[in-house]
Amino acid sequence: MAIDPYAWIEASLTTIHRADWYRFEQTISSRPGTIVQLEGRTVINFASNDYLGLAGDRRLIAAAMFATEEFGTGSTGSRLLSGHRQLHRELEKAIASLKQTEDALVFSSGYLANLGAIASVVGKKDLILSDRYNHSSLKNGAILSGATIIDYAHCNLAELENHLKEHREKYRRCLIITDTVFSMDGDLCPLPKLLDLAEKFHCMVLVDEAHATGILGKNGAGSVTHFNCTHRPLIQIGTLSKALGSLGGYVAGSSTLIDFLRNRAPTWIYTTGLSPADTAAALEAIKIVQQEPERRAQLWRNIETLKQLISQQLPNLKLLPSESAILCLQLKDAATALVAGIKLKEAGIFAPAIRPPTVPTSRIRISLMATHETSQLEKLVAALKSL
Ligand SMILES: *Cc1c(COP(=O)(O)O)cnc(C)c1O
């Protein structure tokens, strides 16, 4: 009897549907901004990572267009072959200058930067300690490295220390990996204490600043600066695709580290260099982040305003602890979250339901932008009230 070797896929999809875990994409047909056209409906956008409102900024668009005219659409090869341009180096220097590190290396995405950096600095003989709520790219980078992985409870440094006491000695190198702003919760990792522990147990630390760059710290350099840890030994990862409004990722750190990654990181060596348009747009965004601190200040005013509105008008809703532009409202299960997301959309609010397996508990996730107006925040709160 012939058995269809692909039949399991449909069965697996059915299981996903039954658990209310099924996902699909929704089309946005307008330029990025606080108001977008979502599946033909005009909605206020609380689902974007474009925290500073730069993805639709004229200056980024002009920089991308100019770079495309000048250098073409593709970079035509990997950086070590034919894909390297002066523009890449300018961007790397701008990132290093923002982060106050010796150097930086640009990858084609933040995801690839994490895979490449983690898999390059540790291997089979080594240990990785990983916060349980870390982003998928950190977790998969850890798996790719072949190191032994121990997860510790979210931001629980006492547990981290116990693992270090028990296991550190058995391994050659040890790497602690963590988001700084947790992407699905919005809270911050206790970086200074974590670095103290790392020092005590001779561990390297890799932090993912995806949701912190452009938002936290003096000049928008991120949470490392926010916590005054700028000159402590660290491997910093970030993305060009959130507050910086472009596409791509980076590693920032010592020049020795960057030189090493250029020679070892497979996700940098064996992939095509960032396109001229993406590179130029990110470079322009970094200039704006440094020159226009008022954008960041406005974002923080919006965060405080929304927190106040929620605590005044929706005292029964559970707002998860947050110190960033990501605010989450906890709901009892996936089905409830799904219905809430749909009802909000019908009310003209785009704030998606986030469900397992992405997170352990279902929630509505709100991300704020510097360009949101107070009236838009009030409309969000009114829609939440009527749920
Ligand atoms: C978005 C994100 C990434 C991936 O960045 P991309 O540039 O979109 O690939 C990595 N880490 C965290 C914490 C993120 O939120």
Short mmCIF file of all heavy atoms in Angstrom, two decimals, residues 49 51 107-114 133-138 178-184 208-211 237-242 246-250 326 365, ligand 1:
data_model
loop_
_atom_site.label_atom_id
_atom_site.label_comp_id
_atom_site.label_asym_id
_atom_site.label_seq_id
_atom_site.Cartn_x
_atom_site.Cartn_y
_atom_site.Cartn_z
N ASN A 49 7.10 47.71 14.91
CA ASN A 49 8.37 47.89 15.61
C ASN A 49 9.05 49.20 15.20
O ASN A 49 10.18 49.47 15.60
CB ASN A 49 9.33 46.74 15.29
CG ASN A 49 8.81 45.41 15.78
OD1 ASN A 49 8.24 45.33 16.86
ND2 ASN A 49 9.00 44.37 14.98
N TYR A 51 9.44 52.12 16.11
CA TYR A 51 9.20 52.91 17.32
C TYR A 51 9.35 54.41 17.13
O TYR A 51 8.69 55.19 17.79
CB TYR A 51 10.15 52.46 18.44
CG TYR A 51 9.93 51.03 18.85
CD1 TYR A 51 10.91 50.06 18.62
CD2 TYR A 51 8.75 50.64 19.46
CE1 TYR A 51 10.72 48.74 19.00
CE2 TYR A 51 8.54 49.32 19.83
CZ TYR A 51 9.52 48.38 19.60
OH TYR A 51 9.32 47.09 19.98
N PHE A 107 25.05 42.32 9.52
CA PHE A 107 24.52 41.07 8.97
C PHE A 107 23.24 41.36 8.17
O PHE A 107 22.69 42.46 8.28
CB PHE A 107 24.19 40.09 10.10
CG PHE A 107 25.39 39.46 10.75
CD1 PHE A 107 26.26 40.24 11.53
CD2 PHE A 107 25.65 38.11 10.63
CE1 PHE A 107 27.37 39.66 12.15
CE2 PHE A 107 26.75 37.52 11.24
CZ PHE A 107 27.61 38.30 12.00
N SER A 108 22.75 40.36 7.45
CA SER A 108 21.55 40.57 6.63
C SER A 108 20.27 40.62 7.45
O SER A 108 19.23 41.05 6.95
CB SER A 108 21.43 39.48 5.57
OG SER A 108 22.57 39.51 4.76
N SER A 109 20.31 40.16 8.70
CA SER A 109 19.18 40.35 9.61
C SER A 109 19.68 40.18 11.03
O SER A 109 20.77 39.64 11.26
CB SER A 109 18.05 39.35 9.32
OG SER A 109 18.38 38.08 9.85
N GLY A 110 18.87 40.62 11.99
CA GLY A 110 19.21 40.42 13.39
C GLY A 110 19.24 38.94 13.73
O GLY A 110 20.07 38.48 14.52
N TYR A 111 18.33 38.19 13.12
CA TYR A 111 18.27 36.75 13.36
C TYR A 111 19.61 36.10 12.96
O TYR A 111 20.19 35.33 13.73
CB TYR A 111 17.12 36.15 12.55
CG TYR A 111 16.54 34.89 13.15
CD1 TYR A 111 15.26 34.88 13.69
CD2 TYR A 111 17.26 33.71 13.17
CE1 TYR A 111 14.71 33.73 14.24
CE2 TYR A 111 16.73 32.55 13.72
CZ TYR A 111 15.46 32.56 14.25
OH TYR A 111 14.93 31.41 14.81
N LEU A 112 20.10 36.47 11.80
CA LEU A 112 21.37 35.90 11.32
C LEU A 112 22.55 36.37 12.17
O LEU A 112 23.53 35.63 12.35
CB LEU A 112 21.59 36.26 9.85
CG LEU A 112 20.64 35.56 8.88
CD1 LEU A 112 20.81 36.13 7.48
CD2 LEU A 112 20.89 34.06 8.88
N ALA A 113 22.48 37.59 12.69
CA ALA A 113 23.56 38.09 13.56
C ALA A 113 23.64 37.23 14.83
O ALA A 113 24.74 36.85 15.26
CB ALA A 113 23.30 39.56 13.92
N ASN A 114 22.49 36.91 15.41
CA ASN A 114 22.49 36.05 16.60
C ASN A 114 22.99 34.65 16.30
O ASN A 114 23.84 34.12 17.02
CB ASN A 114 21.08 35.98 17.20
CG ASN A 114 20.84 37.07 18.22
OD1 ASN A 114 21.76 37.47 18.94
ND2 ASN A 114 19.62 37.55 18.31
N TYR A 133 12.81 33.30 28.41
CA TYR A 133 11.98 34.13 27.52
C TYR A 133 12.75 34.72 26.35
O TYR A 133 12.26 35.59 25.65
CB TYR A 133 11.33 35.27 28.32
CG TYR A 133 10.17 34.87 29.20
CD1 TYR A 133 9.87 33.54 29.42
CD2 TYR A 133 9.37 35.83 29.81
CE1 TYR A 133 8.81 33.16 30.23
CE2 TYR A 133 8.31 35.48 30.63
CZ TYR A 133 8.03 34.15 30.84
OH TYR A 133 6.98 33.79 31.65
N ASN A 134 13.98 34.24 26.13
CA ASN A 134 14.77 34.79 25.02
C ASN A 134 14.10 34.62 23.67
O ASN A 134 13.33 33.68 23.45
CB ASN A 134 16.15 34.10 24.98
CG ASN A 134 17.14 34.74 25.92
OD1 ASN A 134 16.95 35.87 26.36
ND2 ASN A 134 18.21 34.02 26.23
N HIS A 135 14.47 35.51 22.75
CA HIS A 135 13.98 35.47 21.38
C HIS A 135 14.42 34.19 20.68
O HIS A 135 15.50 33.65 20.97
CB HIS A 135 14.53 36.68 20.62
CG HIS A 135 13.95 36.87 19.26
ND1 HIS A 135 14.61 36.48 18.11
CD2 HIS A 135 12.77 37.40 18.86
CE1 HIS A 135 13.85 36.79 17.06
NE2 HIS A 135 12.74 37.35 17.49
N SER A 136 13.61 33.75 19.74
CA SER A 136 13.87 32.55 18.96
C SER A 136 15.29 32.53 18.35
O SER A 136 15.94 31.47 18.28
CB SER A 136 12.82 32.47 17.85
OG SER A 136 13.25 31.69 16.79
N SER A 137 15.79 33.68 17.92
CA SER A 137 17.11 33.70 17.26
C SER A 137 18.23 33.39 18.24
O SER A 137 19.24 32.78 17.87
CB SER A 137 17.35 35.06 16.60
OG SER A 137 17.15 36.11 17.52
N LEU A 138 18.06 33.77 19.52
CA LEU A 138 19.06 33.42 20.53
C LEU A 138 18.99 31.91 20.80
O LEU A 138 20.02 31.23 20.88
CB LEU A 138 18.80 34.19 21.83
CG LEU A 138 19.07 35.70 21.80
CD1 LEU A 138 18.52 36.35 23.06
CD2 LEU A 138 20.56 35.99 21.69
N THR A 178 20.99 36.82 26.57
CA THR A 178 19.72 37.39 27.01
C THR A 178 19.25 38.54 26.12
O THR A 178 20.07 39.30 25.60
CB THR A 178 19.82 37.87 28.48
OG1 THR A 178 18.53 38.35 28.90
CG2 THR A 178 20.83 39.00 28.65
N ASP A 179 17.94 38.65 25.94
CA ASP A 179 17.35 39.89 25.42
C ASP A 179 17.61 40.95 26.47
O ASP A 179 17.64 40.63 27.67
CB ASP A 179 15.82 39.76 25.31
CG ASP A 179 15.33 38.90 24.14
OD1 ASP A 179 16.12 38.15 23.58
OD2 ASP A 179 14.13 39.00 23.82
N THR A 180 17.75 42.21 26.10
CA THR A 180 17.79 43.26 27.12
C THR A 180 16.36 43.76 27.36
O THR A 180 15.88 43.74 28.48
CB THR A 180 18.73 44.41 26.74
OG1 THR A 180 18.39 44.87 25.44
CG2 THR A 180 20.17 43.97 26.77
N VAL A 181 15.67 44.15 26.30
CA VAL A 181 14.22 44.37 26.39
C VAL A 181 13.58 43.09 25.84
O VAL A 181 13.83 42.72 24.70
CB VAL A 181 13.77 45.57 25.53
CG1 VAL A 181 12.25 45.64 25.46
CG2 VAL A 181 14.34 46.87 26.08
N PHE A 182 12.78 42.40 26.66
CA PHE A 182 12.17 41.15 26.21
C PHE A 182 11.05 41.44 25.22
O PHE A 182 10.14 42.22 25.52
CB PHE A 182 11.73 40.30 27.41
CG PHE A 182 12.92 39.68 28.08
CD1 PHE A 182 13.65 40.37 29.02
CD2 PHE A 182 13.36 38.42 27.69
CE1 PHE A 182 14.78 39.83 29.60
CE2 PHE A 182 14.50 37.86 28.25
CZ PHE A 182 15.21 38.57 29.21
N SER A 183 11.14 40.79 24.06
CA SER A 183 10.33 41.24 22.92
C SER A 183 8.84 41.00 23.08
O SER A 183 8.04 41.72 22.50
CB SER A 183 10.85 40.58 21.64
OG SER A 183 10.81 39.18 21.75
N MET A 184 8.45 40.00 23.82
CA MET A 184 7.03 39.70 23.95
C MET A 184 6.48 40.13 25.32
O MET A 184 5.32 39.88 25.63
CB MET A 184 6.77 38.21 23.72
CG MET A 184 7.00 37.80 22.28
SD MET A 184 5.89 38.68 21.16
CE MET A 184 6.96 38.93 19.75
N ASP A 208 20.93 40.99 23.42
CA ASP A 208 20.18 41.32 22.21
C ASP A 208 19.40 42.61 22.45
O ASP A 208 18.46 42.64 23.23
CB ASP A 208 19.24 40.15 21.88
CG ASP A 208 18.49 40.36 20.58
OD1 ASP A 208 18.33 41.53 20.16
OD2 ASP A 208 18.04 39.36 20.00
N GLU A 209 19.84 43.67 21.78
CA GLU A 209 19.29 45.01 21.98
C GLU A 209 18.22 45.38 20.94
O GLU A 209 17.97 46.57 20.71
CB GLU A 209 20.44 46.03 21.91
CG GLU A 209 21.42 45.95 23.06
CD GLU A 209 21.05 46.90 24.19
OE1 GLU A 209 20.03 46.66 24.87
OE2 GLU A 209 21.77 47.90 24.37
N ALA A 210 17.59 44.37 20.35
CA ALA A 210 16.64 44.62 19.25
C ALA A 210 15.60 45.69 19.58
O ALA A 210 15.31 46.56 18.77
CB ALA A 210 15.95 43.32 18.83
N HIS A 211 15.01 45.60 20.80
CA HIS A 211 13.94 46.55 21.16
C HIS A 211 14.44 47.68 22.06
O HIS A 211 13.64 48.39 22.66
CB HIS A 211 12.79 45.81 21.84
CG HIS A 211 12.12 44.82 20.95
ND1 HIS A 211 11.11 45.16 20.07
CD2 HIS A 211 12.36 43.50 20.75
CE1 HIS A 211 10.74 44.09 19.40
NE2 HIS A 211 11.48 43.07 19.79
N ILE A 237 24.21 42.54 20.24
CA ILE A 237 23.53 42.25 18.98
C ILE A 237 22.39 43.25 18.82
O ILE A 237 21.81 43.70 19.81
CB ILE A 237 22.91 40.83 18.99
CG1 ILE A 237 23.92 39.78 19.46
CG2 ILE A 237 22.31 40.47 17.64
CD1 ILE A 237 25.00 39.46 18.51
N GLY A 238 22.05 43.57 17.60
CA GLY A 238 20.89 44.43 17.39
C GLY A 238 20.35 44.26 15.99
O GLY A 238 20.88 43.48 15.19
N THR A 239 19.28 44.99 15.72
CA THR A 239 18.67 44.91 14.40
C THR A 239 18.56 46.31 13.80
O THR A 239 18.49 47.30 14.52
CB THR A 239 17.28 44.24 14.49
OG1 THR A 239 16.70 44.24 13.18
CG2 THR A 239 16.35 44.99 15.43
N LEU A 240 18.57 46.37 12.48
CA LEU A 240 18.37 47.63 11.78
C LEU A 240 16.90 47.79 11.41
O LEU A 240 16.50 48.77 10.79
CB LEU A 240 19.22 47.65 10.50
CG LEU A 240 20.72 47.37 10.69
CD1 LEU A 240 21.42 47.24 9.34
CD2 LEU A 240 21.36 48.48 11.52
N SER A 241 16.09 46.80 11.80
CA SER A 241 14.73 46.71 11.25
C SER A 241 13.64 47.16 12.21
O SER A 241 12.47 47.09 11.88
CB SER A 241 14.45 45.28 10.80
OG SER A 241 14.56 44.41 11.91
N LYS A 242 14.01 47.63 13.40
CA LYS A 242 12.97 48.08 14.34
C LYS A 242 13.02 49.61 14.41
O LYS A 242 12.58 50.26 13.47
CB LYS A 242 13.12 47.35 15.66
CG LYS A 242 12.68 45.90 15.43
CD LYS A 242 12.77 44.96 16.55
CE LYS A 242 12.14 43.63 16.11
NZ LYS A 242 12.91 42.46 16.51
N SER A 246 14.87 50.00 8.86
CA SER A 246 15.40 49.43 7.63
C SER A 246 15.33 47.90 7.69
O SER A 246 14.32 47.36 8.15
CB SER A 246 16.84 49.93 7.43
OG SER A 246 17.39 49.41 6.26
N LEU A 247 16.38 47.23 7.24
CA LEU A 247 16.46 45.78 7.33
C LEU A 247 17.92 45.41 7.54
O LEU A 247 18.80 45.99 6.91
CB LEU A 247 15.94 45.14 6.03
CG LEU A 247 15.98 43.62 5.96
CD1 LEU A 247 14.98 42.98 6.92
CD2 LEU A 247 15.68 43.13 4.55
N GLY A 248 18.16 44.41 8.40
CA GLY A 248 19.52 43.96 8.65
C GLY A 248 19.77 43.86 10.14
O GLY A 248 18.91 44.21 10.95
N GLY A 249 20.95 43.35 10.51
CA GLY A 249 21.30 43.21 11.92
C GLY A 249 22.77 43.53 12.12
O GLY A 249 23.48 43.80 11.15
N TYR A 250 23.22 43.51 13.37
CA TYR A 250 24.63 43.80 13.61
C TYR A 250 25.13 43.16 14.89
O TYR A 250 24.34 42.80 15.77
CB TYR A 250 24.88 45.32 13.67
CG TYR A 250 24.10 46.01 14.76
CD1 TYR A 250 24.55 46.03 16.07
CD2 TYR A 250 22.88 46.61 14.47
CE1 TYR A 250 23.82 46.63 17.07
CE2 TYR A 250 22.13 47.22 15.47
CZ TYR A 250 22.60 47.23 16.76
OH TYR A 250 21.86 47.81 17.75
N ILE A 326 6.94 48.43 24.64
CA ILE A 326 6.07 47.26 24.47
C ILE A 326 5.23 47.08 25.73
O ILE A 326 5.77 46.91 26.82
CB ILE A 326 6.92 45.98 24.24
CG1 ILE A 326 7.79 46.14 23.00
CG2 ILE A 326 6.03 44.74 24.15
CD1 ILE A 326 8.93 45.15 22.92
N ARG A 365 -0.64 42.50 22.59
CA ARG A 365 0.65 43.20 22.64
C ARG A 365 0.52 44.54 21.93
O ARG A 365 0.14 44.60 20.77
CB ARG A 365 1.72 42.35 21.97
CG ARG A 365 3.11 42.96 21.97
CD ARG A 365 4.07 41.95 21.33
NE ARG A 365 5.44 42.38 21.30
CZ ARG A 365 5.98 43.08 20.30
NH1 ARG A 365 5.22 43.46 19.30
NH2 ARG A 365 7.26 43.39 20.33
C1 LIG B 1 13.15 41.11 15.93
C2 LIG B 1 14.15 40.47 16.80
C3 LIG B 1 15.26 39.83 16.26
C4 LIG B 1 15.42 39.60 14.80
O1 LIG B 1 15.77 40.74 14.13
P1 LIG B 1 15.53 40.80 12.55
O2 LIG B 1 16.44 41.87 12.09
O3 LIG B 1 14.08 41.12 12.36
O4 LIG B 1 15.89 39.45 12.01
C5 LIG B 1 16.22 39.34 17.13
N1 LIG B 1 16.07 39.44 18.45
C6 LIG B 1 15.00 40.04 19.01
C7 LIG B 1 14.89 40.13 20.50
C8 LIG B 1 14.00 40.55 18.21
O5 LIG B 1 12.92 41.10 18.75
#
